[in-house]
Amino acid sequence: MPIPSYGAAPLSKTFLLVRVLQVISMIIIVGITANFVSLIVSSGIEPPKEFVGTLSVTCIATLYCLVSIAFYWSEANLGLFVMSGFDSLLLIAFIVVAVTVGKPLSFLNCYVIGKASSKEAEAASAYAFTESVTANLNIVGNKLYLGNWAGATKANCFETKAIWGLSIALCLLFTTSCILLPTLFYKNKKAGAAPKSVDV
């Protein structure tokens, strides 16, 4: 089944590429975030609200994107405007996710984690993290802060920054799809218009 052109084949293919990149980015975010939430919950602590929010928004967005590809392929002409509206809402949601996740991470340097200037400083840092975790262990309503989780290990730091980076990338991708969808609608309308009759 060929890719619908909507009167502008290059733009149509670009939209499908953007949609595939969105789905791939969101699947990666869901995988990393779900793993973090599982690890944190198994230790008896409520996960950071940033992770829970990111996971919720990303799961809903992934489902929508997968369904929208089928509608796009079935040449949903007026549906392009509806999809543009949903993409705009998801753009706003991912801007909120990027800002919320990025706020505690912006000053965190992953390369210096585990390279403390002295053994005493490293031990003090590990002790502070352990005290934070044990103080909140198995107490309902107590949560681990995102900065504490990301700063615990170098792997946590890089994976959390990957979530942040992919959220920013999704902002750009949803902006692109918000621009492409109405453009494809107008191109399709223009291509489908009947030619004017010429009087001789």
Side-chain angles (χ1 to χ4, degrees):
M1 188 170 171
I3 298 172
S5 67
Y6 287 99
L11 292 179
S12 178
K13 291 176 182 176
T14 303
F15 173 77
L16 281 177
L17 175 66
V18 166
R19 206 45 127 206
V20 168
L21 291 173
Q22 288 169 344
V23 170
I24 291 170
S25 300
M26 288 186 285
I27 288 172
I28 293 169
I29 290 175
V30 167
I32 295 172
T33 310
N35 182 43
F36 280 165
V37 169
S38 172
L39 290 172
I40 294 168
V41 168
S42 67
S43 66
I45 303 170
E46 287 187 38
K49 63 183 185 309
E50 294 91 349
F51 284 155
V52 175
T54 301
L55 190 58
S56 303
V57 168
T58 309
C59 286
I60 293 167
T62 306
L63 178 63
Y64 157 73
C65 285
L66 289 172
V67 170
S68 72
I69 290 173
F71 278 105
Y72 182 80
W73 215 282
S74 65
E75 296 191 31
N77 296 329
L78 194 55
L80 295 177
F81 267 128
V82 176
M83 287 192 286
S84 181
F86 278 116
D87 280 26
S88 300
L89 293 174
L90 289 175
L91 169 62
I92 294 167
F94 278 106
I95 288 172
V96 171
V97 166
V99 169
T100 307
V101 172
K103 197 186 291 187
L105 296 179
S106 57
F107 296 107
L108 190 60
N109 186 351
C110 298
Y111 293 103
V112 299
I113 296 174
K115 293 184 179 178
S117 56
S118 66
K119 296 258 185 210
E120 293 81 16
E122 190 173 330
S125 174
Y127 178 75
F129 176 74
T130 306
E131 281 295 310
S132 170
V133 171
T134 55
N136 296 317
L137 196 61
N138 291 323
I139 299 173
V140 177
N142 281 350
K143 297 180 180 180
L144 182 64
Y145 293 105
L146 180 63
N148 291 345
W149 174 260
T153 66
K154 194 176 281 192
N156 285 0
C157 183
F158 280 118
E159 289 176 15
T160 308
K161 286 211 173 188
I163 293 171
W164 182 30
L166 287 170
S167 299
I168 294 169
L170 283 168
C171 292
L172 297 173
L173 290 170
F174 276 109
T175 301
T176 306
S177 63
C178 286
I179 294 168
L180 287 174
L181 285 166
T183 305
L184 285 170
F185 175 79
Y186 285 117
K187 289 280 189 182
N188 189 43
K189 191 174 178 182
K190 191 175 178 182
K196 293 181 180 179
S197 60
V198 178
D199 294 329
V200 179

